[in-house]
Amino acid sequence: MARTVSIIGCGLIGRAWTIVFARAGLEVRVWDADPAALASARDRLQETCVEAGEDPSILARVTLAADMQSALEGAEWVQENGPERIEIKRRIYADLDRLAAPETILASSSSALVASQFAEGLEGRHRILVAHPVNPPHVIPVVELCPSPDTAPEVMDRAEALMRDVEQVPVRLSREIDGFVLNRLQAVLLAEALSLVEQGIVSPEGLDDTVCHGLGRRWTLLGPLATINLNAPGGVADYLDRYGPTMARLSDSAARGEAFTREAGEITAAALPGSDRVAELSRSRDRKLAALDKFLKSLKEEK
Amino acid sequence: MARTVSIIGCGLIGRAWTIVFARAGLEVRVWDADPAALASARDRLQETCVEAGEDPSILARVTLAADMQSALEGAEWVQENGPERIEIKRRIYADLDRLAAPETILASSSSALVASQFAEGLEGRHRILVAHPVNPPHVIPVVELCPSPDTAPEVMDRAEALMRDVEQVPVRLSREIDGFVLNRLQAVLLAEALSLVEQGIVSPEGLDDTVCHGLGRRWTLLGPLATINLNAPGGVADYLDRYGPTMARLSDSAARGEAFTREAGEITAAALPGSDRVAELSRSRDRKLAALDKFLKSLKEEK
């Protein structure tokens, strides 16, 4: 019998997850509390497959479920993609924990809420975690796996194994932290970026060029720590001896939360494509991300 | 007559610059104060060309000069790659300013010193700037152009035009700032990265995975500001309204200079390849960077 997962909530992220699991050969049972979202799901899935260069025949493994209960049938994993509102999440997890078989893992796509906020007090809190994707997960593989204090290590092991089985890249956190890892890294860089733009030191285009034609390329191939490991003859320890004091001085003089101003937003908005182009450019971004993923996999194979 | 540039200092960065200019069809005159560096320059250039997939016949446009004076003959641009020590830089720029034709631009690869530190007091201080590459510039195109308070705007215009002519990506800064743009962005992200690792929230590998299989991919395709411009339906202003307070909170709780500790370095070093592999992995990185550059250019053409 094919392995089965359940997708609860089939907006943008739920549909991307559906593709991740279906293309890996799993059966996917999809449900959404909103009948309209469910009714249009198959057409939207078809579109997303075509745009990402995926074979739409993988959607034969997708079943639309009439209710939450039947969506959970035989599922080893539930990927929940509901709204990021604590009262809604609590209600969903109470239902999921009551209806799902005891061995089913319940994973949330939440980016802002941590698992303890909606798992606390539930009988099955040991099987609840956050599996935070980067939008959209069918073209960006990283998934942050974030336990609550109650999540069982064995559940984390199974989560990690499943993510590898479906060719995502799991990153396991040891405990809850506000913003997880990815958004903490994004936040500090954005603060300094917006501040440099607001001070007029660099244009928004120049700021983006610095990353996409510079720093970002190394980070995409190696990550930031493996990058500095090659930036001194003796590796990362040598790097920190040589450049640590300079980098510390730069961080200490960098902007923080005060940089997220309306002014910085206005300067940036004036330099970038208008919001009428967000949908079109997002599709273009996703096509490029899919191509980049293939390119990076080809590099890996050749090494 | 072919356009001519001069490379002063032919270590790793000087040789990479030589390839940048020679492959764009410019004549390159190379000199180094160290006779041994100069003597081995042609062999090393040949090796670097082969490794980066460049046609070594471009090196026919490279002349090794016997002294600084003859290296400067007919040069519209000097790219200086001397040691990052202020007393050495001051001596070099006094010599360059005395020997170079008045219209020649003098650009330093300095990453730590700002131009006013070595240009101040010189007659030609208006023609001196920093043109900071990312190492190595023949496979990473960004170049930060950083004026001193004395650098003439017309010199900055010519610098920007030359960088575009040789297919680098110039980023123009409006004024001097410690670390320029790139290293300021790198510093804040590294501080938080090292802190998360030292706290044991994520492993060094997990931290790198978060960037190279997640955040870094968007940043490489779009840059950080164009990324958030697509992360809310109404663009960047809408993003800051929705998520600004969260990102501000995350930045305010992030690590700063205190994170560059020996402990963080030891945890990271233990997880990454040892320093005996730095040279080999750097060559592998550069080959991948060259391939990534070609891939990104192919994406651009198709749009």
Side-chain angles (χ1 to χ4, degrees):
Chain A
M1 207 185 77
R3 298 173 68 174
T4 301
V5 298
S6 168
I7 302 291
I8 303 297
C10 62
L12 210 60
I13 297 172
R15 294 196 301 274
W17 273 120
T18 301
I19 292 172
V20 166
F21 291 115
R23 76 180 166 198
L26 280 70
E27 293 291 320
V28 189
R29 303 181 70 81
V30 176
W31 179 72
D32 198 296
D34 173 9
L38 200 60
S40 65
R42 200 167 284 280
D43 286 350
R44 308 292 294 275
L45 282 166
Q46 177 87 19
E47 283 163 25
T48 309
C49 269
V50 170
E51 283 185 353
E54 297 291 342
D55 181 351
S57 75
I58 63 171
L59 300 178
R61 289 190 277 273
V62 176
T63 310
L64 303 183
D67 49 41
M68 183 189 274
Q69 172 83 76
S70 61
L72 299 175
E73 252 169 51
E76 61 177 276
W77 177 273
V78 174
Q79 186 73 41
E80 167 276 316
N81 316 283
E84 295 258 352
R85 283 167 50 200
I86 185 61
E87 67 284 4
I88 300 182
K89 284 270 194 262
R90 282 203 179 127
R91 203 176 330 125
I92 294 176
Y93 278 84
D95 288 345
L96 289 172
D97 192 37
R98 186 168 41 83
L99 296 171
E103 67 280 9
T104 308
I105 293 177
L106 310 179
S108 175
S109 297
S110 166
S111 64
L113 302 169
V114 294
S116 62
Q117 290 177 283
F118 47 82
E120 222 165 48
L122 295 178
E123 198 184 324
R125 56 192 179 278
H126 65 281
R127 58 159 162 174
I128 298 176
L129 75 153
V130 168
H132 174 228
V134 179
N135 191 20
H138 68 296
V139 292
I140 305 196
V142 83
V143 181
E144 296 183 277
L145 301 178
C146 315
S148 83
D150 294 318
T151 310
E154 170 262 343
V155 166
M156 293 297 286
D157 292 342
R158 282 177 57 205
E160 195 175 338
L162 174 64
M163 287 299 121
R164 291 198 199 283
D165 287 345
V166 300
E167 295 193 54
Q168 297 298 98
V169 176
V171 170
R172 192 161 166 167
L173 276 64
S174 65
R175 58 180 189 271
E176 289 186 344
I177 181 170
D178 192 16
F180 311 131
V181 170
L182 187 141
N183 274 325
R184 296 188 69 81
L185 299 177
Q186 178 162 231
V188 292
L189 188 132
L190 280 178
E192 181 61 10
L194 290 167
S195 165
L196 290 168
V197 163
E198 189 169 347
Q199 292 175 69
I201 286 172
V202 67
S203 68
E205 300 94 326
L207 191 292
D208 275 349
D209 280 345
T210 306
V211 177
C212 68
H213 298 293
L215 206 45
R217 295 190 180 192
R218 284 184 177 170
W219 284 349
T220 291
L221 291 173
L222 296 171
L225 298 176
T227 290
I228 60 172
N229 194 40
L230 301 185
N231 280 355
V236 65
D238 186 24
Y239 178 93
L240 289 176
D241 280 348
R242 289 173 190 239
Y243 308 114
T246 300
M247 297 311 257
R249 188 182 73 229
L250 297 178
S251 329
D252 283 336
S253 70
R256 307 192 85 173
E258 74 284 355
F260 292 86
T261 62
R262 188 166 292 259
E263 290 67 34
E266 282 166 6
I267 298 168
T268 305
L272 296 180
S275 58
D276 55 318
R277 296 191 57 206
V278 165
E280 163 214 343
L281 290 171
S282 299
R283 282 194 300 274
S284 159
R285 175 200 64 194
D286 292 351
R287 277 194 301 275
K288 289 175 182 171
L289 283 166
L292 180 58
D293 189 51
K294 284 194 182 75
F295 167 79
L296 292 170
K297 280 186 176 132
S298 75
L299 275 190
K300 210 163 183 182
E301 279 154 17
E302 99 191 8
K303 124 187 144 173
Chain B
M1 210 184 75
R3 296 173 70 174
T4 302
V5 298
S6 168
I7 302 292
I8 302 299
C10 62
L12 210 60
I13 297 173
R15 293 196 303 273
W17 273 119
T18 300
I19 292 172
V20 166
F21 291 116
R23 76 180 165 199
L26 280 70
E27 293 292 321
V28 189
R29 304 181 69 81
V30 175
W31 179 72
D32 198 294
D34 174 9
L38 199 60
S40 66
R42 198 166 286 279
D43 287 350
R44 309 291 294 274
L45 281 166
Q46 177 85 19
E47 283 164 25
T48 310
C49 268
V50 171
E51 283 186 353
E54 296 292 343
D55 182 352
S57 75
I58 62 170
L59 299 179
R61 289 191 278 273
V62 176
T63 309
L64 303 185
D67 50 42
M68 184 189 274
Q69 171 84 75
S70 62
L72 299 175
E73 253 169 50
E76 63 177 275
W77 176 273
V78 173
Q79 187 74 40
E80 167 275 316
N81 316 283
E84 295 258 352
R85 284 168 48 200
I86 184 63
E87 67 284 6
I88 300 183
K89 283 268 195 263
R90 281 203 180 126
R91 204 176 330 126
I92 294 176
Y93 278 85
D95 289 344
L96 289 173
D97 193 36
R98 187 167 41 82
L99 296 171
E103 66 280 9
T104 308
I105 293 178
L106 310 179
S108 174
S109 297
S110 166
S111 64
L113 302 169
V114 294
S116 61
Q117 291 177 281
F118 47 82
E120 224 167 47
L122 294 179
E123 197 183 326
R125 58 193 179 277
H126 66 282
R127 57 159 163 175
I128 297 176
L129 75 152
V130 168
H132 175 229
V134 179
N135 190 19
H138 68 297
V139 292
I140 305 195
V142 83
V143 181
E144 297 184 274
L145 301 177
C146 315
S148 83
D150 294 318
T151 310
E154 170 264 342
V155 165
M156 294 296 285
D157 291 343
R158 282 177 56 204
E160 195 175 339
L162 174 65
M163 287 298 121
R164 290 198 199 284
D165 287 345
V166 300
E167 295 193 55
Q168 298 299 97
V169 176
V171 169
R172 193 162 166 165
L173 275 64
S174 65
R175 59 180 187 270
E176 289 186 344
I177 181 170
D178 192 16
F180 311 132
V181 170
L182 187 141
N183 275 324
R184 296 187 70 81
L185 298 176
Q186 178 163 231
V188 293
L189 187 132
L190 280 178
E192 182 61 10
L194 290 167
S195 166
L196 291 168
V197 164
E198 187 168 349
Q199 291 175 68
I201 286 172
V202 69
S203 68
E205 300 93 326
L207 191 291
D208 275 349
D209 281 347
T210 306
V211 177
C212 68
H213 299 293
L215 206 45
R217 296 190 181 192
R218 284 182 177 171
W219 284 349
T220 291
L221 291 173
L222 296 171
L225 298 175
T227 290
I228 60 172
N229 194 40
L230 301 185
N231 280 356
V236 64
D238 186 22
Y239 177 92
L240 290 176
D241 281 347
R242 288 174 190 238
Y243 308 115
T246 299
M247 297 312 256
R249 188 182 73 229
L250 297 178
S251 330
D252 283 336
S253 70
R256 307 191 86 174
E258 74 284 356
F260 291 87
T261 63
R262 188 167 292 259
E263 291 66 35
E266 282 165 6
I267 298 168
T268 305
L272 295 181
S275 59
D276 55 318
R277 296 190 59 206
V278 166
E280 162 214 344
L281 291 171
S282 299
R283 282 194 300 274
S284 159
R285 175 201 64 195
D286 291 350
R287 278 194 300 274
K288 289 175 182 172
L289 283 167
L292 180 58
D293 188 52
K294 284 196 182 71
F295 167 78
L296 292 170
K297 281 188 176 132
S298 76
L299 275 189
K300 210 163 184 183
E301 279 155 16
E302 100 191 6
K303 126 187 141 175

